Each structure stands twice: as C-alpha cells, then as structure tokens.
Amino acid sequence: MRYLLLFTLLFINFVTFSQTNKKFILIDNSTDQVIPFANVLFNELENKGTSTDIDGVFYVSNTIKTITISYVGYETKVLKLNEINSQIIRLDSKFSELDEVVINGENPAHRIIRLAIANKTLNKPKNLNSFTYKSYDKVFADINEDQPLNDSLKDVSSFFKDSYIFITETIAKHKYLKPRFTVDSVIARRTSGFKSPNFAVLANSLQPFSFYDEYISLFETNYLNPISSGSTNKYKFRLKDEYVKGQDTVFVISFVPKANRNFEGLEGLLYINSNQYAVESVDANTYNSGKIDFTIQQKYKFIDNKYWFPEQLNFVIILGEGFGSFKYVGKSYLSEIITNPPLQKKDFPLVALTIPDNVQGRNSPYWELYRKAPLDIKEQRTYVLIDSIGEEIKLDKFLKWAPSLAKWRIPLKYVDLDLKHLIRYNKYEGTRLGLGLYTNDDVFKHVSIGGYSAYGFKDHTWKYGGEILIDVPGEKDISVSLKYNNDLRETGSYSGNTVDNPLVQRNWIASQMDAVESISIHTEMKLLRNINWNVGFNTADVTPLYNYQFINNGLPITTYTNSEINVGIGYHVNEQLVRTFGITTRIPSDAPVFNLIYSRGLKRTFNSDFSYNKLRFTLDHSFITKGLGKTTYHLDLGYIDTALPYGLLFTGEGTLDKKIPFVVRNYFQTIKPYEFLSDRYANLFITHNFGRLFNNKGQFQPDVLLYNNFGIGSLDQASYHQNIEFKTKDELFLETGLELQNIIKIPYLNIGYLGMGIGAFYRYGYHNLETSSDNFAFKYSMSFTFK
C-alpha cells in the first residue's frame, strides 16, 4: 500500500509537471553529444531563465513563447517554442580564439577566481557539520568509436552496435559527519549479466564529491585545482561569458594550464555564481593525460537558502588510444538532501560502503522512483543481451573468484590453488617451485584447511607446511589461523621486515637463511575505528644455515628454540574501509599510518632458550607541497633489551646487490643486505617525487625522485656473535639518491606503459667507504604509467 500510494503521488506530480512544462535536450549538431550547463534565457521574463543540466536537459513552461540559448564556443540561437517540432535542439559550434580581456591592467577572470577561492570554506559541502542524501548511480562501458578500431574491435563493435558492453545501476543512501565519518548504504543494485551481484559501483566514488579540494585526485594522480590558492599563476583563465540568472550573475570562465606548467593540470569551464561566488557547475578534463582521459562534470544547487550542494556528478573515462579504446561513463543523481541532521559517531559503521544481505535487486520498485529518466532503448537492450550471455556462461560463478584472488588464490572445485607457492626466487634457494591447496566455501563456510610443499633447485631441499584458517563473520573482520611450517626464514625478518609477496624485489636477494620448524597461532581483528589489533604465539626450532655460533651464558650454541608472544596494533588516520565481493579493503590514503609490534620471549616455554622484550614501531605518511611535488617518509624504530642470536636481531635493511640491482622503497640502496647488525636502531627514509615538474612536454617525461635516507643503531655484546662478519651503525649512516622513472616506456595492452628507469645513490659521512666507486650504487626501477 505504501508503494502504491507513493507511485500514485509521483504519477500525479509527473502528469501535472508534464502538462505545464516542455522538455528539451540540447546537443552538438556535429557530434550528437549533449551540451551541459548552457544558458537558456526566457525572453518574455527579464533576467529569468534556466540552464541545461549535465545531460543537456532543460524544461520550459508553456507560457514562454521565445527562448535564447547560448553556450561558450557555440552560435547563439533564438527560438520560438511553437516552431520547435522536436525535443532535440541542436547548436552549431563556432571557432573563436580570443585573448584575455584585460581591464585596467587586470584580467577580470582573476577577480572572480580569487573570490571563489576566498569562499571555498563557506561553499565546500564537507565543511557542513553533517548531511544525508540518496543517490541513483548508473555506469556503463562502451567501445570508444571516436578512435579508429582494429579488426577485432570492429567485430566487437558490430556485435554490440545496439547495446553497451556493460551497465550497472545502484541506489544508495549516504551519511556524512564532520570531519571524516561517511557511510554509503546500498538500497538497490542491478548489474547486466549478474542475477545478484555482491558488489556495487557508485559513480561518485570515482571522482571527488565536490570541486573544492586543493588537488583533484583521479586514478591516484593529483591534479591542481584551478580554484586553489595561487592558481592564477598556474592557469590561464578567460572570462568567456556572463549572464543574469534571477538575482544572480553567472560567470563562465575557461581554464587551461599555462605553457610552462610544472604540475598535473585540468582544462575546461567553470560556472561561478555571484551568490557566495560558489561553483554552480564545472566541466573539466585531464590535460595531456596520455593513455587515460578523465572528464568530470558537476552541477550544484542552492538549498535551504544557505548552502551550495552537488546535484549531479558525472564522469567519462576514455582508456587507451589509437586502434581501440574503451569509454566508461558514470552518472550520479542526488536527491532527498538534508543538511545538518542530528548524526553521531555511533550512526557510522566501521565499513564505509555496506551492501546488506536484504538489498533490493533488479525487480526493486525503487528504480522508477529514483531514475532521472527511464532507461533508453540501448540501455534496455544491454540488460537483455548481457543477461542472456551471463546466463549462458554462468557469470555469477565468477564472482566467487574475487575473495580467492585477493588472497593470491585461484578457485577450483572444493579447493583453491595458492599462487604464492607456485614459483619463487631467492639467492639461497634459487628457483623454488611448489604447490599449495586450500579448501574453499564448497567444503566449509568461513573455514579453510590447506597446506603446501615446495622444492628449491639450488639448496636441493623440500619445504612444507599446513594451516587452518577461520574467518569470523561480522564487521570486526576477525580471523584466526593455526600454522605448522618446516621452511626457511631470512635472518632479521622475524619482526616483519619483509613482505610475503613473491613479486617484491627485496625477497629476490635474500641469501642468509635459518631453517625453522615452527607452530604458531595468530588472530587479527578490527578492534576499534581506525585501529587494527593482532595477537599471536609462535614456537620454533631454529638452525642457522650459515657459519655462526652464539655465546649463551658462556657456552657456544648453534641451534636454539625460541617461543614468543606477539601483540600488534595499527592506527590508520582517516581510514576508510569498503566491503565488496565479501572482502574488506582499505581505500589508499596519504594520511599517517602507525604500527607498533611488541614481542615477548618466553624462556622455558616449549623449551625456549631466551627471555626478552622486543619493540618495533613504524610510521608512514605522504603529503603534497604545491609546486614541488609529493613527499613520502617512512620512520622505522626497533629495540631489543637483551642479547639474542643473529637471526632474531635486526638486519637485512640493505638492498645493494649488483646482480639484482633494483630500487626498493624504504630500504637502504647502498648497504649490502646483511652489512649491519643491530639490537636497537632508528631509520628514516624520505622520498620526494617531483613528478614531471622539470619537463611535462614531448616524449621524454621522466618522473624525478630524490631520496635521502638516514640510519643509526647499536649492538650490545657484539662479541657474542662468532664466525660471522657484520658492522654496527653506532654513527649516523647517510645516503642520497636520484631516480629518473619512466625513461623508457613500453606500451602495455593499449591502456598505459610499462616504465623503466634508473637511479644513482651515494653513501657518505662516517660510513663512507675507502674506495670512492664503492660508495655509488646504480639501479633500475620499474613502474606503470598511463602517460
């Protein structure tokens, strides 16, 4: 009955509106693309009119006889409504190349831009204490036929000539509480090819919510906002048009980066309303962006006679160029906006994006309520075509792959194949081949039992292990694992110095190993907002695989047993979590991340030989300095309160290996892997990425990175360590380096480039080596770039 009443009211409202207003769509006469934000003046009513929305749509009352339509770069058109025979109105573009108009020595656009900058705090939506709204999001993918197509894409284009390749719709409710609490709750979702997908694509998640941040972040690239402080020195602005709208004036200002720019920039049009000098709409795209072109369009409305708030948020992503590229279009329409509702922290779950189990699907009555307009023929055909394909090839089953792939596993019937154990390489084992299998949800829900076996072709030794992993359902994201391993462990890596990833180059140069037979139990959980917690216990029999003895209570020992309890806590400032495909992931952020690990050695527990306290603390943070680039630093501190065998101390922070000369972040580049040994240390790694500040034109566009790394440490009872060479960092270690990334760029899948670069590093100060050439390290780097 509620739905019936709601539909009836909406129908009456729609009929009434349609009887008194005519709908028109404004498009480019040559490209058939819609024209957003054009000015439509009602000739009979002085200073009255409207503007086209993001979709080029506008409405005119039946009482209006004549309208005048104008838009930057197009011929102005005056039309009599009784002579218009179609909803479609076409405008012809015109070529205009006017220089800036300067009045009394000042560009008039600069005054307006400065006023818009001065009012950013007033107009930025997220400076409100709180707000809620609902959104209807639609995203579709298509072949970009504006670019020439190769033969294979011509066949694909022919197959999809009456439909898109993909379409998805989502309705969601959004809440925000200052300064950073957000939640997006999906109400309904529909995706072509899938009956009940456990993911949702929100169009407004791929672009900033408003156009007021100093930098507009798109695909992890930071573009300088044209309405940021000092932008008049960075951008070329032109006042292209101004028109009266009610009691306000709208200024149309074009912007483009200046020729000698040293930043990543945007180009497009800003519409600034004289009411609080707020952004009324913006149409911007990335400037000279290579294999990816990103367009964002935003439209705002003045609500509650106080605030400007987004009303429509669209994006267009064109990926690839030349013979075959793809276009992704997202449209987001906001409604039911409420400013400053009484929200509290308890109203916000730990996960920012939630998809309840009872979410509405493709038959939801919500669709007709929140769609801006009914699906057109092409969109309807997309659902029919892709749904039939999805049914034929059982697309839903591929959604089960996502949780497994996130763990480096390929799902099979009943078991997952663990990719981490298939093939590895390090300098001790050489090439290592193996097989790892874990049960999946086909056997047990939330419980996985597995194991692995691997063989090193250089050390000619088998390694193996097994694990029981339990995932506890709920937003606390609790997991418990019980493991047995008979394997190798790199010295100094016991406190988490390396990452268990076969693609990390630091793991390739590992050569000093301990043989370890261990049993461990470990649990992780989301303790509180922004805080992760883990607790574990491990007992291990350790045999050094290198010539070494440790003096313990006056007696030399080689093998030993160690039992240890670990407690770790991680704090992520500005943390945002999303849960899709049944996986909770953290949205990348430059905000600080703190990690603290405490370990307690338990002597006599399972015949353990040592009692000790061990601490390790890390801090990671990045920030942007306008006009200079991005600085990233990693602070790493360690402390042990008693003498321990070599394998339990801190070492391995070096990456100098002439046979595998790769730059590895947050390690020393001119230190050999095991050159120094410490039981307490402090390391600071600072990397500043100038980007393309020194050259942003032509084919040669390397990113320029400056490194400054510092370290100091000490080792008590150094004489306890026999038959092995090492140094200590009792004096400050210093190194500086310069890296040029992406000197060589190899096209990859027509969507970007695999970049190759070089770096040169130099160690100096107290630890400077006698032979000058030994202080230099020359290395390669690898990266991926769209440009």
Side-chain angles (χ1 to χ4, degrees), residues 55 88 164 481 704:
D55 299 316
I88 304 298
Y164 298 112
S481 68
V704 180

Side-chain angles (χ1 to χ4, degrees), residues 22 29 76 100 189 297 365 375 412 436 484 555 686 733 786:
K22 292 181 179 180
N29 192 35
T76 299
E100 302 160 350
R189 62 175 182 252
Q297 298 172 325
L375 295 178
L412 306 172
Y484 167 81
L555 298 175
I686 303 174
F733 179 89
F786 290 108

Side-chain angles (χ1 to χ4, degrees), residues 742-761:
N742 306 316
I743 292 178
I744 299 174
K745 294 186 292 187
I746 304 171
Y748 180 73
L749 296 179
N750 200 37
I751 62 172
Y753 301 92
L754 295 177
M756 295 287 295
I758 58 172
F761 301 85

Side-chain angles (χ1 to χ4, degrees), residues 36 59 147 166 203 205 239 279 288 440 461 528 641 685 739 750:
Y59 294 89
Q147 295 275 2
F166 170 86
S205 65
L239 180 60
V279 175
N288 189 26
N440 54 35
T461 305
L528 296 169
D641 66 349
F685 303 92
E739 179 187 352
N750 200 37

